[in-house]
Amino acid sequence: MPFTMKPYAKFWTCSNTLPKIKDINESIIRRFVFIEFKGNFKIPKHDLAKDILKDKEKIFVLFIKSLEVLLARGSFDIPEEIENVVKNFVEDSDSVS
């Protein structure tokens, strides 16, 4: 029996540097969201895994509530600061300038 499917996927990666892309176009720009981490993180001395497991029910409820907000909104809410990171990336990657 035929059915209709709307594919939905996100690709996540992390890096210490921004990717090098030769041909930046609008379709590529629409798909990029860069999250800049400005802080330095130290490994905690306590057992983080135990803390997470201890609060797993609370974390799961938070996840479900956040998913409900996302689905109701229909898209991710991109903060201006992150949009500026993408804008700077495009400007730095512009092969014409």
Side-chain angles (χ1 to χ4, degrees):
M1 177 182 299
F3 66 95
T4 302
M5 182 181 111
K6 180 180 178 184
Y8 181 83
K10 297 290 176 193
F11 177 74
W12 294 68
T13 185
C14 60
S15 171
N16 290 332
T17 59
L18 293 174
K20 303 288 184 210
I21 300 176
K22 293 180 182 180
D23 184 26
I24 297 286
N25 58 48
E26 190 62 34
S27 64
I28 291 174
I29 295 167
R30 273 195 329 264
R31 290 169 172 84
F32 273 131
V33 176
F34 294 106
I35 302 173
E36 185 175 29
F37 292 97
K38 296 178 181 180
N40 292 321
F41 301 95
K42 295 182 180 180
I43 298 172
K45 293 183 179 181
H46 64 281
D47 192 344
L48 186 59
K50 281 185 182 177
D51 290 346
I52 290 172
L53 289 174
K54 180 178 67 177
D55 292 330
K56 66 184 173 188
E57 289 85 7
K58 293 177 186 174
I59 294 169
F60 184 73
V61 168
L62 179 63
F63 169 76
I64 295 300
K65 288 181 178 181
S66 298
L67 179 60
E68 288 172 344
V69 170
L70 173 63
L71 294 174
R73 188 173 45 227
S75 65
F76 290 98
D77 185 23
I78 309 298
E80 184 178 342
E81 183 177 0
I82 292 182
E83 288 178 352
N84 289 337
V85 173
V86 174
K87 180 182 172 190
N88 292 337
F89 169 73
V90 171
E91 289 171 357
D92 292 344
S93 298
D94 187 3
S95 61
V96 176
S97 61

